[in-house]
C-alpha cells in the first residue's frame, strides 16, 4: 500500500485532479480491505486479487455518502490497482506480472445523456449565477472539450488559421495527444475579450470538477430541463448534435479526439431521428 501510494505522483505528475483522486481513493480502500495492515509483495497472488475484486464490488462510497460504489466505479478502481501492480512488476518488486493474470471487472454501459438543440437554447436563455460556468459549459457543447481541458485552456491555445478561422490547440489530458478543435464564432464569443497576456486562462475561475455539480444543477433546474445533466454532458451533446445534423461518424471521431471509432459509436443510440430516416 505504501508503494502504491508512492507511485501516484510518479505515474501521474501532470494528471487531472480526477485521476489523482481515483488513485488516492484506491489506496484508501486497500487500507480498509487490509484493516490497516501492510500487504507484503510476497503475499500478492491471483487468489488475493480475486478477493480484492470482490471487496471492491461492495466497497463503501467515500466522504459522507452512504451505500456502496457502482460496478463501473469498482471497474475503474480495479483497473487502477492492476496498473499499480504492473508498475510494481516493471520496478522489479514482483517477479511475475500478476496483473495480466486477473480479468478486470466488467463495465456496464450506461446511456449517455445529451441535450437537444431546444434544450441548449433553453440554457442560453436562462441566467446563471456563475457566468464563467455558463460560458464554459456552452463552450463544451460547441467544441466537445472536457472540463479538465477547458479549465486549463490558455489564450495562446486559441489560434487563428491561415483561412481566417479559429481553432483551439489542445493536448487532451486523457489522451495526451494534440488536437486541433475548430472554434466557431459563437464559441469564440463565449471566451470573452482577449487579454494582452497569452498565458492567461480563457475561463479564469472555472469551478473544479468536484464542486461544479451543485451550481450546474441549479442552472439546469432553473431552465426547466428535467434531465440529470453533468458538465461532461456538454461533450455528449456536441457528439449527438453533430450526428443529428448528418455529420458522419468518422468526422465526429476526429472532432472528439477518439482513438477508436467504436468509442464514437456509443453516441449513435442517442439519435433516434437518424435511425428513422435510415429505416
Amino acid at each position: 500500500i505504501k508503494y502504491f501510494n508512492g507511485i501516484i505522483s510518479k505515474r501521474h505528475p501532470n494528471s487531472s485532479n480526477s485521476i489523482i483522486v481515483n488513485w488516492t481513493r484506491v489506496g484508501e480502500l486497500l487500507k480498509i480491505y487490509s484493516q490497516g495492515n501492510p500487504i507484503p509483495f510476497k503475499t500478492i497472488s491471483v487468489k488475493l486479487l480475486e478477493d480484492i475484486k470482490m471487496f471492491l464490488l461492495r466497497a463503501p462510497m467515500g466522504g459522507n455518502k452512504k451505500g456502496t460504489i457502482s460496478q463501473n466505479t469498482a471497474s475503474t478502481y480495479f483497473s487502477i490497482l492492476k496498473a499499480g501492480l504492473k508498475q510494481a512488476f516493471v520496478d522489479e518488486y514482483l517477479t511475475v506480472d500478476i496483473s495480466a493474470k486477473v480479468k478486470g471487472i466488467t463495465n456496464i454501459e450506461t446511456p449517455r445523456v445529451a441535450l437537444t438543440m431546444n434544450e441548449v437554447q433553453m440554457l442560453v436563455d436562462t441566467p446563471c449565477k456563475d457566468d464563467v460556468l455558463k460560458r464554459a459549459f456552452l463552450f463544451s457543447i460547441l467544441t466537445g472539450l472536457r472540463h479538465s481541458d477547458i479549465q486549463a485552456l490558455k489564450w495562446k491555445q486559441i489560434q487563428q488559421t491561415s483561412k481566417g478561422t479559429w481553432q483551439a490547440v489542445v493536448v487532451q489530458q486523457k489522451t495526451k495527444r494534440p488536437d486541433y478543435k475548430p472554434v466557431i464564432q459563437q464559441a469564440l464569443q463565449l471566451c470573452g475579450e482577449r487579454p494582452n497576456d497569452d498565458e492567461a486562462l480563457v475561463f479564469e475561475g472555472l469551478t473544479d470538477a468536484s464542486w461544479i455539480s451543485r451550481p450546474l444543477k441549479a442552472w439546469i433546474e432553473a431552465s426547466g430541463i428535467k434531465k440529470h445533466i453533468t458538465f461532461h454532458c456538454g461533450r455528449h451533446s456536441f457528439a449527438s448534435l453533430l450526428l443529428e445534423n448528418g455529420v458522419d461518424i468518422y468526422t465526429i471521431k476526429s472532432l472528439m479526439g477518439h482513438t477508436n471509432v467504436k468509442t464514437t459509436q456509443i453516441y449513435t443510440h442517442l439519435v433516434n431521428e437518424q435511425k428513422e430516416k435510415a429505416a
Side-chain angles (χ1 to χ4, degrees):
I1 297 170
K2 184 180 177 182
Y3 168 80
F4 180 86
N5 289 333
I7 62 172
I8 295 173
S9 56
K10 180 180 176 180
R11 279 182 64 98
H12 301 287
N14 301 311
S15 293
S16 63
N17 288 338
S18 59
I19 290 174
I20 294 168
V21 165
N22 281 343
W23 273 76
T24 304
R25 182 58 184 156
V26 173
E28 291 169 355
L29 287 172
L30 283 174
K31 284 183 181 178
I32 295 171
Y33 167 78
S34 69
Q35 297 180 333
N37 297 313
I39 302 176
F41 283 106
K42 64 182 179 181
T43 65
I44 294 173
S45 63
V46 170
K47 184 178 182 301
L48 180 75
L49 290 186
E50 290 291 350
D51 196 41
I52 293 174
K53 185 195 291 186
M54 295 308 296
F55 163 76
L56 288 176
L57 285 167
R58 57 178 189 278
M61 296 178 78
N64 297 321
K65 296 176 182 176
K66 294 181 180 179
T68 56
I69 61 176
S70 68
Q71 182 165 325
N72 286 359
T73 301
S75 173
T76 299
Y77 287 173
F78 194 64
S79 295
I80 289 170
L81 175 62
K82 287 180 70 175
L85 289 167
K86 181 81 173 181
Q87 188 65 46
F89 173 65
V90 171
D91 291 342
E92 299 183 344
Y93 284 91
L94 294 170
T95 55
V96 177
D97 183 9
I98 201 82
S99 65
K101 294 178 176 288
V102 182
K103 286 185 178 180
I105 297 171
T106 305
N107 221 322
I108 300 170
E109 188 175 317
T110 53
R112 264 57 175 179
V113 179
L115 296 161
T116 65
M117 193 60 81
N118 285 340
E119 287 169 336
V120 174
Q121 190 60 52
M122 287 164 70
L123 287 177
V124 171
D125 296 338
T126 304
C128 179
K129 289 182 180 178
D130 188 338
D131 179 63
V132 179
L133 165 60
K134 180 174 182 175
R135 291 189 293 109
F137 186 65
L138 294 174
F139 188 80
S140 176
I141 294 171
L142 291 174
T143 60
L145 285 173
R146 300 177 179 87
H147 176 279
S148 56
D149 296 318
I150 293 174
Q151 191 176 39
L153 190 66
K154 294 182 178 180
W155 277 102
K156 67 179 181 181
Q157 295 169 260
I158 307 290
Q159 301 173 1
Q160 194 165 23
T161 68
S162 57
K163 295 179 180 178
T165 56
W166 291 86
Q167 64 182 9
V169 184
V170 179
V171 177
Q172 294 195 51
Q173 289 201 19
K174 190 169 183 179
T175 62
K176 302 300 179 189
R177 294 186 300 107
D179 265 334
Y180 299 86
K181 304 285 187 183
V183 177
I184 61 171
Q185 200 60 37
Q186 280 177 309
L188 191 63
Q189 288 170 358
L190 291 167
C191 296
E193 193 173 336
R194 193 179 193 110
N196 294 326
D197 182 10
D198 265 3
E199 290 292 328
L201 293 171
V202 177
F203 295 96
E204 181 75 51
L206 179 62
T207 310
D208 285 343
S210 52
W211 300 103
I212 208 166
S213 58
R214 187 170 291 179
L216 180 63
K217 183 182 177 183
W219 177 39
I220 298 292
E221 287 179 350
S223 72
I225 296 169
K226 303 299 181 186
K227 295 175 179 175
H228 175 65
I229 301 296
T230 64
F231 197 97
H232 204 68
C233 292
R235 181 168 164 82
H236 297 328
S237 302
F238 174 71
S240 66
L241 289 170
L242 288 173
L243 275 167
E244 200 172 294
N245 284 280
V247 180
D248 70 274
I249 197 81
Y250 290 96
T251 301
I252 296 171
K253 169 186 172 290
S254 176
L255 288 167
M256 293 288 283
H258 290 156
T259 53
N260 193 316
V261 75
K262 286 183 179 179
T263 310
T264 317
Q265 286 171 338
I266 60 175
Y267 293 100
T268 56
H269 77 274
L270 291 169
V271 191
N272 290 324
E273 189 180 331
Q274 288 296 100
K275 292 179 184 176
E276 287 165 10
K277 283 181 183 177

